[in-house]
Amino acid sequence: MKRFEVENTVIMPALAMRGLVMMEKMSLHFDVGRKKSMLALQQAMAGDKQIFLTAQKDVLVDDPKEKDLYAVGVVAVIKQMLKGQEGVVHVMVEGLYRAKMVELLEESPALVAEVKEIPVSKRRTVAVEEMEAMMRVIKSLFESYSLLVPKMSKEIILEALGQDTAEGLFESVVYNIMLPFEDRQLLLEANSSYKRLKLLSEVLQRESQVLALERNIYEQVKEQMDKNQRDYFLREQLRVISNELGETDDAREDIETLMDQISAIEHISDDDREKLYKEADRLAKCPPQSQEANVIRTYLETCLELPWDNVTKDTLDLKRAQRILNQDHYGLDKVKERILEILAVRKLSPEMKGQIICLVGPPGVGKTSIGRSIARTMGREYVRLSLGGVRDESDIRGHRKTYVGAMPGRIINALKQAKVRNPLILLDEIDKMGADFKGDPSAAMLEVLDSEQNSTFRDHYIELPFDLSEVLFITTANDLSTIPAPLLDRMEVIELSSYTREEKFQIAKKYLVPKQVKKHGLTAKDISFGQEGIYTLIDRYTREAGVRKLERAVASVCRKTAKKKLSDGFKKVTVNAKALEEMLGPKKYAVTQAAQEDRVGAVTGLAWTSVGGETLEIEVGVYEGTGKIQITGNLGTVMQESAKIAVSYVRGIAKEYGIPADFYKTMDIHIHAPEGAVPKDGPSAGVTMTTALVSALSGIPVRHDVAMTGEISLRGRVMQIGGLKEKSIAAFRAGIHTVVIPQENKPDIAEFDETIQKGLHFVPVRTIREVLDVALTQPEKPQETLPDLVMLGAEPEAVPVISC
């Protein structure tokens, strides 16, 4: 950056220094790590290498503004820049002259300031004798200061004492001693040599006093340490003599306190109580300052901090519970019903224990927050444990106390945090646990989540059985396939599927919008979210299963409204499609719509993704050739196998649909799933591929208002698939009227939202011929000629980015 001179001022890059004050005619090395400071250095290097250096008033401020900087600084020239490790730059600068910041012109991306030179006044304002006296005072104080500073170089002392000018004395002293940056700033701002020396004398006198105090304190501490060491040996001798004489030591008072606390525990067995007594006896026999005594004391204190006897009484009012659940969450009827069942059973049978629930669903649907609501509903203490990334078994069970730095596991720490033995513990992201050479934490969770075993849970550190049967465990997961089968068997799985468009609208209207409007300091007079605006946010600016991105979009609108309110001034913002485009930019997502006309060789399939359902077009092209089959679209192994099964099955029914019997020899077939950048896998696109093949080979168009999903066998059976609710929501959103599903998935329809049930016509089918009867516009009605194979079991569906 080039310097610009404007009316005796200069515009140049500026750099804020933390804990450092640059002086004129001074060379300084320092490190730069902040991006803003690096950009200022780069701008200076691009010009005449001059930069304005000024100190921060508060070293803790990471992004300093003009009010955070001292006005007086030094213009310096950059002599050297070297790149260090971890992005740090080593800089060497040399001061040129003092300058005052007239105005900070830019604060981002780098500081740019308008500065004006303020040289030190050399006009004589005091008598020569007075200046000489001040210099002698400075030399005397510096000599006294040097005696108190360890390892002060003799050359520096001799150089300072040999100076005969005020400027030389000031520079030789100030440039070579350590002073607080506030004092250096005051010295820098002094405008005359006499004022600088006078201020320096005050600083040296104060620093000398502080150093003298430090030395006295150090001597006292050293003397006290020597005394403590002597007392320790005498105390040890006294303890040995007391033990030999059988006398009681007064130091056992704290041991007796621990004994009393152990005897006061009610819910503990006699054997376990005796074990704690033995540990207390060992502590009494250990030297108080020994390492073993510290280990035993920490162990006993940890055991006594556990809530052996503390318990909260459950609130079992079903009407109140239902009201709280409805206030906190919209929808989630299945989860709410299960919670009310728990309360009802607990009210009728208080001894009922061991209910462990696993909430499974895509991100953002409210799994974690429902746990907090359940705790509030039941009147229990709430503790959340995040298990994502846990790879060490000791995180769950703790370390044995014989190890250095041993500590209890997360379960015991959660109970200490809750301070009751019957809290609600939310085990978040249980599907994200891993295993390595340190053990498998999921195996350690088997005992925690087993109602038949967790009444005697043993942590490796505590080594005493603790009853977890009264704890209500709620676990959350995004994907059940990564949870080991034995662990999954111990939990009752409740699936939370994607929200429908209407559910998202109601959640945004009743929860997200009021929350964010209040959070951003706005009122109903400032902003109004209309129905059109909320639906536009849902359809055109977010695409997810839950509502996290929707809440962030609402927050973004509120932020921009707050800025507009303070900067521009306005009456009220009405959030509609036009306003959203002005605030958030162009729409990010296009609304997927079904085809408007019947097509040959193109079928609308349905797919499951981690953020909900999607429509998936399958296209088939047939060309003259030699029987080659090409499959594109970033398809996984299972989906490619489905395509091969579809081709083989079509060969068996070719004559019934007017397809040449030798098509697999004389024609090349190309099967494609658009959006080739997105991986796709799973068996449920089998019926879609078969229908597209029959249409392309026979020339019969496929109905544009029909979507389908289902796995096929080699004999044409349509088999069960997963994720039907999310797929149905995608079909409804795309304007599909008819959805072909496997007969075995028919019971799933009862769990769908009422809007989906009324808006779609579901056609359950058993064979691919039934699919063709529905999907093709002019199909023949062939008779079933091939017997169905008995399906012994379907393989689990793969779960990649898109699963068909």
Side-chain angles (χ1 to χ4, degrees):
M1 174 179 179
K2 295 183 179 179
R3 296 192 305 155
F4 296 92
E5 297 187 3
V6 182
E7 297 180 359
N8 299 324
T9 64
V10 181
I11 298 174
M12 64 173 62
L15 189 147
M17 306 177 74
R18 289 202 271 201
L20 292 175
V21 175
M22 184 69 182
M23 308 292 290
E24 69 270 34
K25 301 180 183 179
M26 176 182 179
S27 296
L28 183 65
H29 296 262
F30 58 91
D31 295 337
V32 175
R34 288 185 288 193
K35 185 177 180 181
K36 180 181 292 188
S37 300
M38 292 182 182
L39 289 175
L41 290 172
Q42 292 173 2
Q43 292 180 6
M45 292 297 292
D48 56 4
K49 299 185 180 180
Q50 292 188 15
I51 188 169
F52 178 63
L53 304 178
T54 182
Q56 291 183 202
K57 297 176 181 178
D58 185 354
V59 296
L60 299 179
V61 175
D62 287 329
D63 188 14
K65 310 297 182 185
E66 185 171 1
K67 61 183 177 60
D68 301 316
L69 304 175
Y70 287 106
V72 177
V74 170
V75 173
V77 61
I78 301 172
K79 291 295 185 180
Q80 189 177 35
M81 281 181 59
L82 295 174
K83 289 186 178 180
Q85 297 180 349
E86 300 180 357
V88 175
V89 176
H90 307 294
V91 183
M92 175 183 175
V93 296
E94 183 178 310
L96 297 178
Y97 57 86
R98 290 194 316 151
K100 182 177 182 180
M101 180 169 60
V102 178
E103 182 182 0
L104 190 63
L105 301 177
E106 294 183 16
E107 295 180 349
S108 179
L111 299 179
V112 177
E114 181 182 356
V115 300
K116 183 177 182 180
E117 182 178 358
I118 47 171
V120 177
S121 174
K122 296 184 179 179
R123 186 173 56 186
R124 181 173 295 175
T125 57
V126 295
V128 175
E129 294 80 6
E130 189 173 356
M131 179 66 78
E132 181 68 23
M134 180 59 69
M135 291 176 62
R136 290 183 182 181
V137 170
I138 294 295
K139 291 179 180 180
S140 176
L141 290 172
F142 180 65
E143 191 172 4
S144 301
Y145 173 86
S146 301
L147 296 175
L148 296 170
V149 176
K151 299 182 181 179
M152 173 67 81
S153 172
K154 292 183 179 180
E155 289 77 9
I156 295 176
I157 300 173
L158 294 175
E159 180 187 354
L161 297 179
Q163 295 293 332
D164 55 359
T165 63
E167 291 80 5
L169 179 60
F170 178 83
E171 293 174 2
S172 61
V173 172
V174 174
Y175 292 5
N176 292 296
I177 64 174
M178 296 295 296
L179 294 176
F181 78 92
E182 295 89 350
D183 291 340
R184 282 185 173 273
Q185 183 66 31
L186 292 175
L187 292 171
L188 177 66
E189 294 178 0
N191 286 327
S192 69
S193 298
Y194 183 78
K195 286 182 179 180
R196 284 189 162 191
L197 291 181
K198 185 177 180 181
L199 184 59
L200 179 59
S201 68
E202 297 173 359
V203 172
L204 285 175
Q205 188 171 11
R206 186 178 69 252
E207 288 295 315
S208 297
Q209 292 174 353
V210 172
L211 288 173
L213 287 173
E214 285 183 357
R215 175 168 291 186
N216 290 336
I217 293 171
Y218 173 76
E219 294 295 336
Q220 293 175 11
V221 170
K222 183 180 179 183
E223 182 180 350
Q224 185 66 33
M225 289 177 64
D226 293 340
K227 182 178 179 298
N228 289 341
Q229 191 75 9
R230 174 176 170 273
D231 292 346
Y232 172 74
F233 284 109
L234 292 175
R235 198 178 296 111
E236 284 298 303
Q237 291 176 357
L238 179 61
R239 186 182 66 82
V240 172
I241 294 171
S242 298
N243 289 338
E244 290 294 330
L245 296 175
E247 297 177 353
T248 303
D249 190 359
D250 294 337
R252 290 181 61 88
E253 289 184 4
D254 58 340
I255 306 298
E256 292 176 358
T257 302
L258 292 174
M259 291 285 194
D260 294 338
Q261 293 177 357
I262 294 171
S263 62
I265 301 175
E266 296 180 5
H267 291 79
I268 192 173
S269 67
D270 293 338
D271 292 339
D272 296 334
R273 195 189 310 275
E274 187 62 29
K275 176 179 173 59
L276 293 178
Y277 280 145
K278 289 181 179 179
E279 291 292 332
D281 287 338
R282 287 181 58 206
L283 177 61
K285 296 175 182 178
C286 290
Q289 305 300 326
S290 67
Q291 180 65 30
E292 185 178 5
N294 291 331
V295 170
I296 298 174
R297 184 182 299 277
T298 303
Y299 169 74
L300 287 174
E301 289 175 351
T302 302
C303 290
L304 294 174
E305 285 176 2
L306 289 177
W308 299 96
D309 303 323
N310 298 336
V311 64
T312 56
K313 187 177 180 181
D314 288 342
T315 304
L316 302 176
D317 186 346
L318 297 186
K319 291 184 179 179
R320 175 181 175 275
Q322 188 166 18
R323 184 174 67 254
I324 291 175
L325 291 173
N326 290 333
Q327 286 175 354
D328 292 348
H329 294 83
Y330 178 83
L332 304 179
D333 295 332
K334 192 175 180 181
V335 181
K336 294 176 182 177
E337 184 66 24
R338 184 66 182 88
I339 300 309
L340 295 177
E341 290 173 4
I342 291 176
L343 297 182
V345 171
R346 191 171 290 273
K347 189 169 186 178
L348 296 175
S349 178
E351 68 278 2
M352 183 72 176
K353 299 177 182 178
Q355 296 160 329
I356 299 167
I357 297 172
C358 180
L359 304 177
V360 181
V365 296
K367 300 185 297 298
T368 303
S369 60
I370 196 69
R372 188 181 297 106
S373 295
I374 295 171
R376 189 160 76 96
T377 298
M378 300 181 67
R380 290 200 175 195
E381 295 295 327
Y382 169 79
V383 182
R384 173 182 170 271
L385 295 183
S386 178
L387 299 180
V390 172
R391 309 183 71 86
D392 190 349
E393 181 186 356
S394 60
D395 278 350
I396 307 299
R397 287 190 176 275
H399 302 265
R400 298 196 182 278
K401 65 177 182 293
T402 53
Y403 291 102
V404 176
M407 63 182 67
R410 296 193 179 200
I411 302 298
I412 293 298
N413 280 329
L415 292 168
K416 287 173 56 181
Q417 181 182 344
K419 298 180 181 179
V420 292
R421 72 168 188 265
N422 66 334
L424 184 149
I425 297 181
L426 180 74
L427 303 174
D428 209 6
E429 308 290 356
I430 197 170
D431 58 326
K432 304 299 189 304
M433 287 192 301
D436 60 10
F437 65 93
K438 297 180 182 179
D440 186 358
S442 62
M445 292 297 296
L446 294 177
E447 182 183 3
V448 176
L449 299 181
D450 192 332
S451 58
E452 300 297 328
Q453 301 178 31
N454 63 10
S455 59
T456 56
F457 172 73
R458 285 181 181 269
D459 185 273
H460 286 160
Y461 181 82
I462 302 298
E463 294 181 341
L464 299 176
F466 194 93
D467 186 3
L468 300 180
S469 61
E470 296 185 46
V471 178
L472 179 58
F473 288 102
I474 305 289
T475 67
T476 70
N478 298 126
D479 182 12
L480 291 180
S481 65
T482 59
I483 303 178
L487 184 59
L488 186 62
D489 184 60
R490 285 162 166 76
M491 302 181 288
E492 178 183 347
V493 176
I494 299 178
E495 293 190 2
L496 282 70
S497 56
S498 307
Y499 287 124
T500 64
R501 182 172 182 260
E502 185 60 29
E503 286 176 332
K504 289 182 181 180
F505 173 79
Q506 294 296 335
I507 292 171
K509 181 180 178 182
K510 296 180 180 180
Y511 300 93
L512 305 184
V513 169
K515 172 185 173 183
Q516 292 299 327
V517 168
K518 182 180 179 181
K519 186 176 179 180
H520 288 81
L522 302 174
T523 64
K525 296 180 181 180
D526 300 322
I527 187 170
S528 171
F529 281 80
Q531 179 174 328
E532 178 194 359
I534 297 176
Y535 276 125
T536 303
L537 279 175
I538 295 169
D539 296 334
R540 308 306 297 274
Y541 290 93
T542 62
R543 180 161 293 178
E544 57 178 339
V547 290
R548 281 202 185 116
K549 292 182 181 177
L550 178 59
E551 183 172 11
R552 286 197 288 267
V554 173
S556 178
V557 172
C558 292
R559 286 197 306 272
K560 295 182 184 302
T561 303
K563 178 187 174 185
K564 195 173 183 181
K565 176 181 179 180
L566 295 178
S567 59
D568 301 340
F570 66 98
K571 294 182 179 180
K572 185 176 183 180
V573 170
T574 300
V575 180
N576 51 30
K578 183 178 179 182
L580 287 174
E581 195 154 356
E582 293 176 357
M583 291 194 219
L584 304 181
K587 298 177 177 64
K588 297 180 180 179
Y589 302 102
V591 178
T592 305
Q593 293 292 337
Q596 301 301 312
E597 58 183 12
D598 300 339
R599 298 167 297 172
V600 174
V603 183
T604 302
L606 300 174
W608 180 93
T609 73
S610 59
V611 295
E614 293 287 347
T615 57
L616 177 67
E617 296 290 329
I618 297 295
E619 302 172 342
V620 174
V622 179
Y623 314 96
E624 291 185 3
T626 59
K628 296 178 182 178
I629 299 176
Q630 191 172 2
I631 303 172
T632 59
N634 203 354
L635 308 185
T637 304
V638 177
M639 203 166 177
Q640 293 184 28
E641 290 177 352
S642 296
K644 295 174 182 177
I645 293 171
V647 172
S648 297
Y649 179 75
V650 171
R651 288 176 61 181
I653 62 170
K655 293 182 180 180
E656 301 172 26
Y657 289 89
I659 300 171
D662 58 349
F663 75 90
Y664 61 92
K665 297 180 181 178
T666 60
M667 297 181 182
D668 289 345
I669 298 174
H670 188 162
I671 301 174
H672 178 65
E675 296 188 35
V678 181
K680 311 170 189 71
D681 205 358
S684 61
V687 295
T688 312
M689 291 181 175
T690 305
T691 305
L693 275 169
V694 172
S695 173
L697 291 167
S698 65
I700 303 174
V702 180
R703 289 172 53 189
H704 65 277
D705 60 344
V706 173
M708 60 188 68
T709 182
E711 180 182 358
I712 65 165
S713 70
L714 195 59
R715 296 298 181 90
R717 289 189 60 204
V718 179
M719 296 183 291
Q720 188 176 12
I721 47 86
L724 184 59
K725 181 177 180 180
E726 287 80 2
K727 295 176 181 179
S728 301
I729 292 172
F732 180 79
R733 186 172 60 237
I736 299 295
H737 299 137
T738 303
V739 177
V740 180
I741 64 173
Q743 179 70 32
E744 296 173 0
N745 285 103
K746 185 177 180 180
D748 297 342
I749 300 175
E751 300 179 3
F752 292 179
D753 185 84
E754 187 177 351
T755 305
I756 302 299
Q757 293 187 33
K758 292 181 178 180
L760 293 176
H761 172 53
F762 292 95
V763 182
V765 296
R766 290 187 175 85
T767 66
I768 192 63
R769 285 188 172 86
E770 297 177 39
V771 177
L772 297 174
D773 288 344
V774 175
L776 300 181
T777 56
Q778 305 169 0
E780 300 177 9
K781 302 228 179 198
Q783 299 296 321
E784 192 78 40
T785 56
L786 295 175
D788 288 343
L789 292 176
V790 177
M791 184 177 66
L792 298 178
E795 293 184 0
E797 187 170 332
V799 185
V801 176
I802 289 186
S803 179
C804 301

